[in-house]
Amino acid sequence: MDPKEKEHLNRLLNRPYYYGYAMRGKTIFAYTKEEWGIGASSGGGDYNLIRSFHFSLALTILMAPVALGCLILAFVLLINLQITALIMAFFGLIFGFALLQCYFNVKEEWLGRKARKLKGLPKPWWKASDDQAYEWFLTHPSPHIHMTLEYFPDSVKLRQIADNTAGN
């Protein structure tokens, strides 16, 4: 990996803010990693319930007895030495991993909600690209958002400006 790619990757991993839109409106908000929670959709603009706290909580509640039931049934069938025991154990593990993922989603969103509530930020429903956020904060300056590559590491516009000034 060349030094330029390494520097870009380092900026992506250590970025101070992520940018997103609320459910309604055109305002772009800046969120820290803790405030982001499970965050926004993939940027396609769809209203994505899967990324919501309530859906993850409901799925967690539904998955717990299903995963436990599969593993218990697999154990009972294993005693009788039936081949379906392997199938039930497989599905028990699959549902168990889904339950684990749901638990981590609920925990992350719960902590994100608490952090957003302290600053009065809405939940990020749609992700804003760094170029969109850069344009927004150029016209709507904020004292805690600096117009640098560290704050907008994926911004093509800002990178072109930086390359042009470095080349001159």
Side-chain angles (χ1 to χ4, degrees):
M1 183 181 288
D2 70 1
K4 208 170 195 178
E5 287 178 8
K6 199 172 191 178
E7 179 184 343
H8 177 67
L9 181 63
N10 192 32
R11 265 194 241 122
L12 280 175
L13 294 175
N14 297 319
R15 64 185 304 150
Y17 291 103
Y18 297 87
Y19 306 101
Y21 296 96
M23 188 183 301
R24 293 180 181 86
K26 302 285 185 202
T27 304
I28 295 178
F29 296 94
Y31 301 89
T32 62
K33 189 179 288 191
E34 293 79 25
E35 295 164 348
W36 189 257
I38 57 174
S41 68
S42 61
D46 296 334
Y47 179 76
N48 197 344
L49 279 178
I50 293 174
R51 305 289 299 173
S52 76
F53 173 76
H54 298 293
F55 182 80
S56 293
L57 186 61
L59 206 55
T60 303
I61 292 168
L62 289 173
M63 282 293 180
V66 170
L68 190 60
C70 281
L71 291 176
I72 289 171
L73 195 53
F75 182 72
V76 169
L77 292 173
L78 190 61
I79 292 173
N80 295 332
L81 297 173
Q82 294 185 10
I83 192 71
T84 53
L86 292 175
I87 297 169
M88 293 308 289
F90 172 75
F91 282 109
L93 288 174
I94 295 291
F95 290 136
F97 286 132
L99 176 66
L100 219 80
Q101 181 62 50
C102 289
Y103 167 75
F104 287 125
N105 281 354
V106 167
K107 181 181 173 189
E108 189 175 347
E109 182 58 22
W110 183 264
L111 295 174
R113 280 179 167 210
K114 286 170 55 175
R116 287 191 302 268
K117 190 174 185 179
L118 291 174
K119 287 189 178 176
L121 292 170
K123 178 180 177 23
W125 279 96
W126 293 281
K127 182 180 177 192
S129 72
D130 282 354
D131 281 327
Q132 291 169 323
Y134 178 71
E135 291 293 325
W136 172 265
F137 286 106
L138 274 177
T139 57
H140 304 89
S142 175
H144 63 280
I145 304 292
H146 304 286
M147 306 309 278
T148 63
L149 273 175
E150 282 74 32
Y151 283 72
F152 305 94
D154 271 340
S155 175
V156 175
K157 295 175 185 177
L158 194 56
R159 188 170 331 229
Q160 287 173 347
I161 293 170
D163 288 345
N164 287 340
T165 56
N168 290 334

